[in-house]
Amino acid sequence: MAGALFLVYTAVSLRIHHRMLSNSYDLGIFEQVVRSYADGHLPVSELKGPGFPVLGDHFSPVLALVAPFYLLHRSATTLLVVQAALIALSVVPLALWARRALGSVAGALIGACYGLSWGIASAVGFDFHEVAFAAPLLAFSLAALGSNRPTAAACWAMPLLLVKEDLGLTVGVIGLVIAWRGTRRLGFVTAAAGVAGTLLALLAVLPAFNPNGSFAYWFLADSPTGTSGAGSGPLDLLYRSTVGLVTPQTKLSTLALVLAPTVFLALRSPLLWVAVPTLVWRLFSNNYVHWGTGYHYSLVVMPIVFAAFVDALVRRGTEHGSLRRYLAASAAVTLAILPSFPFWQLFSPATWRSDPRVAVAHSLMKKIPDDATVQASTYLVPQLTNRTSVSLYGYPVSRPSPQWIMVDTWVAARWRWPLTFEAERAMLNQARAQGYRTVDDRDGFVLLHLTHRPERTPVSGDLDASKHKG
């Protein structure tokens, strides 16, 4: 089952990338991080700013483990294949636990429902992310916890501290559940280590590496404009910590969809508490993207919810007929949701067709030499990160005056970011005026090269200032 799901995940993510639909944020950033590790130095990302130290953005040293595979094949596809393998691996402990405790049919159905769940589909369909490492760690930890192996559960949980700074709180809750189940000393030590790891990352490590000297995402805790009538201060904090966690309706819909594949039976297991830190920061955030079901944000929640599902079924002591009804309902919900998420792309003919413009884009990109500095459109960036120093065209933190600029000016492009079509056209005209010449212009792709920078004619104020300085 894990092998079959690995092929599904790989097919979906590679077809998205080969159709040039992957993004600078985040696949491009993560490839630059892994490329840094592969080249033997601390991770930097040109997309975050010239020479930006990524350990000042998110604490994810676990990404160094991808570097050996990247050395074998320097491409963004390596990251996507590694992600597919990690997520497919997470199916194994959950399915084996369900098989031991509930029988072979239950193991197969729960493994399949988890492997095809919408949270995993959303993550696979959107680039690569460090939380792919969290999926198998959580699955192994919670399967061990559910099987009354607390030491193994703690050992599998601790590496989560190296995946992302917020996951220390998840480790903390796993420790509390271990303590609640009877192994108090181990549980409290695990909980303390998890909380300490998060505090150390947020208050010491990330500020030490960040050029601004602080954690970069505190602003997500600010009150979103127009969402609360409580103003700011303690009343606003109280509102967002209570009613604000389930409003607007998008948040409530996401919570319902998280539990739906388990027919809401996961609510009966204490293992579900492990999902609370991730869900709370997402729903508390002022970024509406965190509230919904898109992108990769629900990947961490899926192994927790399905572990709680198995635990609830085991604790319930379900009779054979009742167990079959729960499993059938879970499978029905999973299949009903499936067409709304990226795995369904495998059944779309468009997924397997190659757009002629992709070949044109690659023919232009071949004209850019290795190690050149480049600014490019967001969909072009992940095609260049393996061999150039590339940043996002038109983004404020991008390296100024790159040697090359490549932009997709096609009006029918599905998404333009960060520039509108008009702003993009104006910037290209400005670049030509500043010394860039057009190397190629085909099918909407424009390739510019910086040949010279026109000298600026000083104005009278400049002359006066230079005389004064002299």
Side-chain angles (χ1 to χ4, degrees), residues 180-307:
W180 179 80
R181 289 204 165 191
T183 316
R184 293 194 173 185
R185 183 176 179 181
L186 174 65
F188 289 137
V189 169
T190 302
V195 174
T198 288
L199 292 176
L200 182 65
L202 293 179
L203 302 179
V205 178
L206 291 168
F209 282 96
N210 192 288
N212 295 323
S214 66
F215 178 51
Y217 297 97
W218 289 125
F219 71 91
L220 292 174
D222 295 338
S223 179
T225 304
T227 59
S228 168
S232 59
L235 288 179
D236 176 68
L237 183 62
L238 178 63
Y239 175 88
R240 295 178 60 206
S241 302
T242 53
V243 178
L245 292 178
V246 292
T247 57
Q249 185 180 345
T250 301
K251 298 180 181 181
L252 199 57
S253 299
T254 297
L255 288 174
L257 206 57
V258 163
L259 296 168
T262 72
V263 204
F264 293 86
L265 193 63
L267 288 168
R268 299 188 180 185
S269 168
L271 295 185
L272 191 62
W273 284 102
V274 179
V276 168
T278 296
L279 291 174
V280 167
W281 80 250
R282 285 179 58 188
L283 302 177
F284 189 83
S285 167
N286 60 26
N287 187 347
Y288 70 91
V289 171
H290 295 152
W291 308 341
T293 57
Y295 306 103
H296 60 288
Y297 298 110
S298 296
L299 176 59
V300 170
V301 179
M302 288 295 109
I304 301 172
V305 169
F306 274 87

Side-chain angles (χ1 to χ4, degrees), residues 93-104 106-108 110-111 310 314:
L94 294 176
L96 289 180
W97 174 28
R99 187 179 72 176
R100 286 194 305 269
L102 301 169
S104 298
I110 289 173
V310 177
V314 173

Side-chain angles (χ1 to χ4, degrees), residues 339-426:
S340 300
F341 290 90
F343 290 157
W344 200 251
Q345 294 178 19
L346 294 176
F347 300 100
S348 171
T351 301
W352 306 102
R353 285 197 296 263
S354 297
D355 186 346
R357 295 185 75 248
V358 173
V360 173
H362 281 285
S363 68
L364 267 66
M365 284 186 278
K366 287 180 181 178
K367 299 182 180 183
I368 302 174
D370 293 350
D371 299 320
T373 57
V374 187
Q375 278 193 29
S377 299
T378 185
Y379 296 119
L380 301 175
V381 165
Q383 313 294 328
L384 291 163
T385 40
N386 65 325
R387 63 181 188 86
T388 68
S389 181
V390 60
S391 53
L392 180 60
Y393 183 68
Y395 204 53
V397 300
S398 294
R399 182 181 294 275
S401 305
Q403 297 166 319
W404 296 83
I405 292 174
M406 185 170 173
V407 180
D408 182 2
T409 65
W410 195 36
V411 179
R414 71 179 182 123
W415 187 46
R416 311 196 84 83
W417 181 73
L419 300 174
T420 64
F421 177 76
E422 292 76 15
E424 184 181 85
R425 183 170 53 186

Side-chain angles (χ1 to χ4, degrees), residues 11-365:
V12 171
S13 57
L14 291 188
R15 282 309 299 161
I16 290 172
H17 182 65
H18 290 156
R19 292 166 63 206
M20 228 162 56
L21 297 176
S22 48
N23 301 268
S24 57
Y25 280 60
D26 295 318
L27 181 57
I29 291 174
F30 283 112
E31 185 177 2
Q32 289 178 337
V33 170
V34 172
R35 183 181 172 187
S36 297
Y37 282 124
D39 291 340
H41 57 79
L42 290 177
V44 295
S45 174
E46 185 82 356
L47 285 156
K48 301 289 292 186
F52 185 90
V54 178
L55 287 177
D57 188 56
H58 287 300
F59 185 68
S60 304
V62 71
L63 290 170
L65 296 178
V66 186
F69 302 98
Y70 190 78
L71 286 171
L72 296 175
H73 183 63
R74 288 179 170 263
S75 169
T77 58
T78 299
L79 277 69
L80 298 174
V81 172
V82 167
Q83 175 172 262
L86 288 168
I87 299 176
L89 176 62
S90 69
V91 175
V92 175
L94 294 176
L96 289 180
W97 174 28
R99 187 179 72 176
R100 286 194 305 269
L102 301 169
S104 298
V105 174
L109 281 175
I110 289 173
C113 290
Y114 165 73
L116 297 174
S117 62
W118 65 267
I120 287 179
S122 294
V124 170
F126 180 61
D127 297 348
F128 169 92
H129 295 89
E130 74 282 89
V131 289
F133 282 93
L137 291 173
L138 283 167
F140 277 104
S141 177
L142 297 179
L145 186 52
S147 302
N148 295 316
R149 294 184 290 122
T151 302
C155 290
W156 280 112
M158 292 305 291
L160 290 168
L161 294 172
L162 303 178
V163 176
K164 202 172 182 182
E165 62 276 359
D166 65 291
L167 289 175
L169 299 179
T170 302
V171 175
V173 178
I174 291 175
L176 292 178
V177 176
I178 291 174
W180 179 80
R181 289 204 165 191
T183 316
R184 293 194 173 185
R185 183 176 179 181
L186 174 65
F188 289 137
V189 169
T190 302
V195 174
T198 288
L199 292 176
L200 182 65
L202 293 179
L203 302 179
V205 178
L206 291 168
F209 282 96
N210 192 288
N212 295 323
S214 66
F215 178 51
Y217 297 97
W218 289 125
F219 71 91
L220 292 174
D222 295 338
S223 179
T225 304
T227 59
S228 168
S232 59
L235 288 179
D236 176 68
L237 183 62
L238 178 63
Y239 175 88
R240 295 178 60 206
S241 302
T242 53
V243 178
L245 292 178
V246 292
T247 57
Q249 185 180 345
T250 301
K251 298 180 181 181
L252 199 57
S253 299
T254 297
L255 288 174
L257 206 57
V258 163
L259 296 168
T262 72
V263 204
F264 293 86
L265 193 63
L267 288 168
R268 299 188 180 185
S269 168
L271 295 185
L272 191 62
W273 284 102
V274 179
V276 168
T278 296
L279 291 174
V280 167
W281 80 250
R282 285 179 58 188
L283 302 177
F284 189 83
S285 167
N286 60 26
N287 187 347
Y288 70 91
V289 171
H290 295 152
W291 308 341
T293 57
Y295 306 103
H296 60 288
Y297 298 110
S298 296
L299 176 59
V300 170
V301 179
M302 288 295 109
I304 301 172
V305 169
F306 274 87
F309 184 38
V310 177
D311 186 56
L313 288 171
V314 173
R315 290 159 63 89
R316 182 182 173 86
T318 309
E319 297 178 358
H320 189 63
S322 180
L323 174 63
R324 281 191 310 211
R325 287 193 293 272
Y326 275 115
L327 294 176
S330 177
V333 171
T334 300
L335 291 175
I337 296 173
L338 193 62
S340 300
F341 290 90
F343 290 157
W344 200 251
Q345 294 178 19
L346 294 176
F347 300 100
S348 171
T351 301
W352 306 102
R353 285 197 296 263
S354 297
D355 186 346
R357 295 185 75 248
V358 173
V360 173
H362 281 285
S363 68
L364 267 66
M365 284 186 278

Side-chain angles (χ1 to χ4, degrees), residues 423-443:
E424 184 181 85
R425 183 170 53 186
M427 281 194 66
L428 285 174
N429 291 334
Q430 183 181 16
R432 292 185 178 99
Q434 292 175 342
Y436 287 86
R437 73 174 177 88
T438 302
V439 175
D440 210 333
D441 186 345
R442 276 185 285 158
D443 281 1

